């Protein structure tokens, strides 16, 4: 990778659909905002769901997400402020702290709990993305990639962007999350006022932006001069059409956003709650096994 990125304007992706995240409740009553989920399937393939939780009131999150199973997917938790206590059926225990990422490949099954704790002032801010596994990997052994803040490259580009590279390659750096089947890109990008950012994205990968702070433009800069430009801010989900790159820019205000892309699986989806398989039969098997206490295939079961 070089710092100089030259991509023809007509290969820069345009926004295909834009919408706002919606308030909902999950787990034992956590208030969060859902950017996409079941209803948007399969437009974001291989991604299934994105939740944002941001609150300064512990009542909104402290009940957390008590023991529940996952099979057939990966859950990616990225924390900006506060921390999440995590424990699972294999006896793993840990804290996901500010700036950390937990990339959990549930595979054949884990049973875990996720309990947000907030920071000293009671603030909790983070995201959970669900990514689908291909049929051939749905029953793989569970795997964690626990990434601490200090392991995530923070790159300043010549154009003035600050990019935290969690997965994939950007701004000459490679993210610490590796060997994921869908070859994901997961970036946290901050643009000061007046700055811009261009990121190559493979043409066959689906890509989206989720704006998390401030506001900015998310289409080719050259188009901004001749079209009525629309700014997008906190809570906006932007799903892109085809192309080789994504361009974002900030004018009067800074903007911070997640840029995520991955290779679509184009496989049938059978989804119920925290389990996502290919067929209804596989779903029935999963919940039947959960009921009988044989859900966990790897390590010690808790149920
Ligand atoms: Mn979970």
């Amino acid at each position: 990778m070089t710092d100089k990125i030259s991509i023809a304007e007509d290969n820069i992706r345009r926004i295909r659909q834009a919408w706002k995240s919606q308030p909902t409740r999950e787990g034992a009553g956590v208030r969060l905002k859902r950017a996409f989920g079941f209803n948007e399937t399969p437009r974001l393939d291989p991604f299934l769901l994105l939740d944002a939780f941001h609150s300064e009131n512990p009542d909104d999150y402290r009940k957390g997400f008590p023991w529940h199973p996952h099979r057939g997917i990966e859950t990616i938790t990225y924390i900006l402020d506060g921390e999440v206590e995590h424990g699972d059926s294999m006896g793993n225990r840990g804290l996901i702290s500010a700036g950390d990422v937990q990339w959990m490949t549930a595979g054949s099954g884990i049973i875990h709990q996720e309990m947000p704790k907030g920071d000293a002032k009671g603030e909790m801010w983070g995201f959970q993305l669900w990514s689908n596994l291909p049929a051939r990997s749905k029953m793989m052994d569970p795997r964690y990639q626990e990434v601490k803040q200090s392991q995530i490259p923070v790159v300043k580009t010549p154009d003035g962007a600050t990019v935290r590279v969690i997965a994939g390659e950007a701004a000459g750096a490679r993210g610490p999350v590796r060997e994921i089947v869908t070859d994901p890109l997961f970036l946290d990008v901050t643009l000061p006022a007046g700055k811009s950012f261009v990121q190559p994205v493979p043409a066959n990968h689906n890509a989206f932006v989720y704006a998390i702070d401030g506001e900015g433009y998310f289409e080719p800069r050259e188009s901004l001069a001749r079209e009525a430009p629309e700014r997008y801010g906190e809570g906006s989900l932007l799903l892109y059409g085809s192309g080789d790159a994504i361009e974002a820019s900030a004018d009067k205000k800074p903007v911070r956003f997640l840029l995520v892309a991955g290779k679509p699986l184009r496989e049938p989806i059978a989804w119920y709650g925290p389990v996502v398989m290919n067929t209804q039969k596989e779903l029935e098997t999963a919940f039947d096994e959960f009921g009988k206490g044989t859900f966990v295939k790897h390590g010690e079961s808790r149920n």
Side-chain angles (χ1 to χ4, degrees):
M1 296 254 334
T2 61
D3 287 331
K4 191 72 193 161
I5 296 166
S6 148
I7 288 162
E9 188 211 341
D10 58 2
N11 288 330
I12 294 178
R13 294 181 183 221
R14 306 302 300 257
I15 295 167
R16 181 151 66 102
Q17 273 183 297
W19 64 85
K20 296 281 279 187
S21 59
Q22 296 298 319
T24 186
R25 283 181 189 234
E26 267 298 349
V30 176
R31 289 173 188 268
L32 47 79
K33 285 187 172 176
R34 179 150 298 159
F36 61 87
F38 189 84
N39 293 335
E40 286 73 36
T41 308
R43 277 177 280 173
L44 290 113
D45 183 13
F47 305 108
L48 296 163
L49 175 147
L50 176 64
D51 283 342
F53 39 100
H54 191 186
S55 175
E56 287 161 14
N57 178 1
D59 289 344
D60 287 344
Y61 58 77
R62 71 170 134 222
K63 289 177 188 153
F65 306 88
W67 296 103
H68 59 277
H70 287 289
R71 176 179 286 177
I73 63 170
E74 304 184 282
T75 67
I76 298 109
T77 307
Y78 180 36
I79 301 302
L80 298 186
D81 208 339
E83 50 193 24
V84 173
E85 273 182 14
H86 176 262
D88 76 10
S89 50
M90 297 182 289
N92 297 306
R93 293 286 180 279
L95 271 182
I96 313 169
S97 299
D100 297 350
V101 173
Q102 182 197 64
W103 198 293
M104 185 188 83
T105 303
S108 61
I110 57 105
I111 298 172
H112 75 165
Q113 64 172 351
E114 303 153 284
M115 306 305 280
K117 298 299 176 192
D119 67 10
K121 294 179 311 204
E123 184 173 0
M124 185 71 235
W125 191 7
F127 307 92
Q128 188 166 84
L129 175 69
W130 291 12
S131 187
N132 206 358
L133 286 168
R136 68 176 187 280
S137 304
K138 282 194 180 290
M139 296 302 284
M140 70 184 276
D141 286 346
R143 184 182 67 176
Y144 287 94
Q145 296 193 46
E146 304 269 8
V147 178
K148 294 293 170 197
Q149 178 182 38
S150 60
Q151 299 170 267
I152 298 172
V154 182
V155 186
K156 288 208 186 278
T157 70
D159 290 338
T162 300
V163 187
R164 287 177 168 76
V165 187
I166 293 159
E169 287 188 12
R174 189 167 171 226
V177 174
R178 307 275 167 93
E179 292 173 25
I180 303 293
V181 176
T182 52
D183 190 21
L185 177 72
F186 191 117
L187 308 178
D188 172 357
V189 183
T190 301
L191 291 180
K195 303 299 185 184
S196 64
F197 176 66
V198 176
Q199 171 64 35
V201 175
N204 61 335
H205 287 200
N206 281 329
F208 69 86
V209 152
Y210 185 65
I212 62 178
D213 207 8
E215 60 179 31
Y217 300 106
F218 294 93
E219 295 200 278
R221 257 181 308 166
E222 285 191 27
S223 72
L224 301 179
R226 59 171 189 270
E227 298 170 19
E230 184 157 3
R231 289 186 189 84
Y232 293 98
E234 185 186 345
S236 291
L237 189 291
L238 312 174
L239 172 61
Y240 283 93
S242 59
D244 299 320
I246 280 162
E247 182 164 20
S249 49
D251 59 352
K252 294 188 181 71
K253 291 182 182 176
V255 65
R256 184 175 185 182
F257 58 93
L258 304 179
L259 170 54
V260 179
K263 185 164 59 181
L265 301 175
R266 305 189 203 286
E267 292 180 352
I269 288 176
W271 180 351
Y272 187 78
V275 176
V276 184
M277 304 302 288
N278 299 109
T279 69
Q280 197 62 31
K281 184 82 171 65
E282 290 166 338
L283 272 190
E284 285 165 18
T285 300
F287 286 96
D288 189 46
E289 289 178 352
F290 186 64
K292 287 193 301 202
T294 58
F295 181 82
V296 171
K297 309 297 179 194
H298 184 93
E300 183 192 346
S301 177
R302 271 198 93 92
N303 70 332

PDB file of all heavy atoms in Angstrom, residues 68 70 112 114, ligand 1:
ATOM      1  N   HIS A  68     -26.611 -16.253  27.255  1.00  0.00           N
ATOM      2  CA  HIS A  68     -27.353 -16.576  26.031  1.00  0.00           C
ATOM      3  C   HIS A  68     -26.411 -17.266  25.046  1.00  0.00           C
ATOM      4  O   HIS A  68     -25.200 -17.087  25.118  1.00  0.00           O
ATOM      5  CB  HIS A  68     -27.970 -15.312  25.404  1.00  0.00           C
ATOM      6  CG  HIS A  68     -26.961 -14.267  25.038  1.00  0.00           C
ATOM      7  ND1 HIS A  68     -26.456 -13.368  25.950  1.00  0.00           N
ATOM      8  CD2 HIS A  68     -26.346 -13.975  23.870  1.00  0.00           C
ATOM      9  CE1 HIS A  68     -25.594 -12.571  25.361  1.00  0.00           C
ATOM     10  NE2 HIS A  68     -25.485 -12.915  24.094  1.00  0.00           N
ATOM     11  N   HIS A  70     -24.844 -18.392  21.180  1.00  0.00           N
ATOM     12  CA  HIS A  70     -24.671 -17.974  19.784  1.00  0.00           C
ATOM     13  C   HIS A  70     -24.157 -19.171  18.991  1.00  0.00           C
ATOM     14  O   HIS A  70     -23.343 -19.950  19.503  1.00  0.00           O
ATOM     15  CB  HIS A  70     -23.623 -16.863  19.642  1.00  0.00           C
ATOM     16  CG  HIS A  70     -24.072 -15.528  20.129  1.00  0.00           C
ATOM     17  ND1 HIS A  70     -25.021 -14.770  19.464  1.00  0.00           N
ATOM     18  CD2 HIS A  70     -23.708 -14.800  21.205  1.00  0.00           C
ATOM     19  CE1 HIS A  70     -25.203 -13.636  20.120  1.00  0.00           C
ATOM     20  NE2 HIS A  70     -24.433 -13.630  21.191  1.00  0.00           N
ATOM     21  N   HIS A 112     -22.651 -17.256  26.463  1.00  0.00           N
ATOM     22  CA  HIS A 112     -21.885 -16.211  27.146  1.00  0.00           C
ATOM     23  C   HIS A 112     -22.787 -15.151  27.756  1.00  0.00           C
ATOM     24  O   HIS A 112     -23.993 -15.139  27.548  1.00  0.00           O
ATOM     25  CB  HIS A 112     -20.844 -15.575  26.203  1.00  0.00           C
ATOM     26  CG  HIS A 112     -21.402 -14.635  25.173  1.00  0.00           C
ATOM     27  ND1 HIS A 112     -20.605 -13.764  24.469  1.00  0.00           N
ATOM     28  CD2 HIS A 112     -22.665 -14.413  24.725  1.00  0.00           C
ATOM     29  CE1 HIS A 112     -21.353 -13.055  23.637  1.00  0.00           C
ATOM     30  NE2 HIS A 112     -22.584 -13.419  23.765  1.00  0.00           N
ATOM     31  N   GLU A 114     -22.632 -10.744  28.545  1.00  0.00           N
ATOM     32  CA  GLU A 114     -21.940  -9.487  28.271  1.00  0.00           C
ATOM     33  C   GLU A 114     -22.599  -8.427  29.151  1.00  0.00           C
ATOM     34  O   GLU A 114     -23.778  -8.138  28.986  1.00  0.00           O
ATOM     35  CB  GLU A 114     -22.101  -9.134  26.790  1.00  0.00           C
ATOM     36  CG  GLU A 114     -21.594 -10.224  25.857  1.00  0.00           C
ATOM     37  CD  GLU A 114     -22.297 -10.208  24.508  1.00  0.00           C
ATOM     38  OE1 GLU A 114     -23.456 -10.657  24.419  1.00  0.00           O
ATOM     39  OE2 GLU A 114     -21.695  -9.741  23.530  1.00  0.00           O
TER      40      GLU A 114
HETATM   41 MN1  LIG B   1     -23.982 -12.204  22.756  1.00  0.00          MN
END
